[in-house]
Amino acid sequence: MNMDGQAEGTSSAQNVRLVFRDDLLIGRTAIITGGSSGIGLGIAEVFGMLGANLVLVGRKVDKLEEARQTLASTGAQILTVSADVRDHASVQGVVQQTVEQFGGIDVLVNNAAGNFHCPFEELTPNGWRAVIDIDLNGTFNFCHAAFQALKRSTWGGRVINISLAQAASGWPGSAHAASAKAGVTALTRSLAVEWGPHGIRLNNVLPGPIENTEGVRRLYEARNEAEKERERMALGHFGQTDDIAQACAYLASPAGNFITGCDLTVDGGRWLKRGWV
Ligand code: COA
């Protein structure tokens, strides 16, 4: 183990830790929105290493193709679909293609997100709408379109929604994203109860700042706020994409059988320390 508690010497294309048995998700088909970069790609990589079939959804074809190449070493079967999560008809198309290619859907990870720092008085109605549309309505669209397929999953369908601790605390300068994620959190909890009788488990994963992501670049690095933000972390450092991916794998696996409607905060203690600095 190294100082961060990471097992060493287990790696794939991007030095991902393999902390679970490598057949943990065998036979499952997982849709990952925003799966071509950042946290979404990290989730895809770990899920692929654990035996899942992958469906990556993103807007840009070239980024999806790059992701497919990055993920080739996992040996996963991969379907890439260019679609905007804001468009319900396109989302239905993704679900249909997934069922045609893999026979069903077992795991849905709603990870696609939009965010930018903007004081509220400067935020335009369209800027507000863009973020609510991607984060909240995009999550609605995929849950809505995938329900029937998730219901048929042999393992019990899993929905993992990527939310934020700021859904509860609010986020000055990102009121749009905090509001959207508060909606996501409430949607998760509502559907956990509605869909429990169908064996579908829904949970939120709440990441803190994660290295090498667009979020950290635009929200902290571009504003020279990264060092200050690091001081707000109880563990003193930002996370890696596979910190989030391992948490998602846990929830997608049989270890998550009795977990639904929960928030799993994976943020290095940021939410707690932030109140003390
Ligand atoms: N500050 C203030 N307003 C901004 C902004 C910024 N940094 N970036 C975009 N906007 C506004 C635009 O001005 C526009 O409003 P207007 O028409 O009134 O001028 C509105 O937001 C929509 O912008 P647009 O670029 O047309 O939207 P889009 O649908 O192409 O992109 C975003 C959506 C804005 C969320 C874009 O940043 C994006 O695609 N992000 C995805 C990646 C990401 O955010 N990653 C980080 C996740 S933590």
Side-chain angles (χ1 to χ4, degrees):
M1 302 285 270
N2 66 21
M3 283 176 62
D4 292 336
Q6 296 178 350
E8 287 167 344
T10 50
S11 67
S12 82
Q14 293 192 358
N15 246 354
V16 171
R17 292 165 295 152
L18 199 57
V19 298
F20 296 110
R21 218 180 53 205
D22 67 5
D23 62 350
L24 190 76
L25 300 181
I26 201 95
R28 273 87 158 170
T29 295
I31 295 182
I32 302 161
T33 70
S36 59
S37 63
I39 291 175
L41 181 59
I43 295 169
E45 192 156 21
V46 167
F47 278 22
M49 289 166 72
L50 297 176
N53 306 317
L54 304 173
V55 182
L56 309 182
V57 185
R59 278 183 289 175
K60 297 190 182 133
V61 174
D62 52 336
K63 274 179 69 182
L64 286 166
E65 198 40 49
E66 232 176 85
R68 179 197 290 284
Q69 283 164 23
T70 303
L71 296 170
S73 63
T74 66
Q77 291 193 64
I78 302 170
L79 170 66
T80 59
V81 192
S82 166
D84 191 325
V85 299
R86 291 173 279 194
D87 180 352
H88 192 268
S90 301
V91 169
Q92 283 179 310
V94 175
V95 165
Q96 195 180 334
Q97 278 190 66
T98 303
V99 173
E100 277 167 16
Q101 175 142 346
F102 294 120
I105 301 168
D106 304 290
V107 186
L108 166 63
V109 183
N110 285 303
N111 162 74
N115 196 0
F116 50 83
H117 178 86
C118 184
F120 189 74
E121 66 272 22
E122 292 168 24
L123 190 59
T124 65
N126 200 30
W128 169 268
R129 197 175 306 117
V131 172
I132 301 289
D133 260 357
I134 297 171
D135 295 21
L136 178 55
N137 297 339
T139 301
F140 162 82
N141 286 339
F142 262 98
C143 288
H144 197 251
F147 170 59
Q148 294 298 338
L150 287 165
K151 207 165 80 168
R152 290 193 297 270
S153 169
T154 325
W155 291 278
R158 306 293 160 105
V159 179
I160 299 166
N161 289 332
I162 306 299
S163 189
L164 282 169
Q166 289 92 326
S169 67
W171 194 351
S174 274
H176 44 358
S179 306
K181 295 297 192 177
V184 168
T185 297
L187 178 65
T188 303
R189 292 176 187 163
S190 307
L191 296 185
V193 176
E194 279 194 41
W195 292 358
H198 303 295
I200 303 172
R201 287 81 161 169
L202 298 97
N203 292 288
N204 297 308
V205 168
L206 281 47
I210 300 298
E211 296 282 8
N212 300 316
T213 58
E214 179 62 17
V216 159
R217 270 190 291 277
R218 60 168 77 186
L219 298 170
Y220 304 116
E221 290 170 355
R223 301 171 52 237
N224 290 322
E225 287 273 333
E227 281 322 303
K228 206 189 285 176
E229 185 65 9
R230 266 191 198 91
E231 286 166 18
R232 298 179 181 130
M233 311 289 297
L235 293 179
H237 60 83
F238 291 169
Q240 305 294 321
T241 55
D242 78 324
D243 288 316
I244 306 305
Q246 309 289 357
C248 293
Y250 165 73
L251 290 171
S253 79
N257 278 0
F258 203 49
I259 306 175
T260 196
C262 286
D263 290 352
L264 178 51
T265 305
V266 188
D267 76 342
R270 176 193 181 279
W271 75 271
L272 182 60
K273 185 174 177 189
R274 209 175 188 288
W276 295 96
V277 292

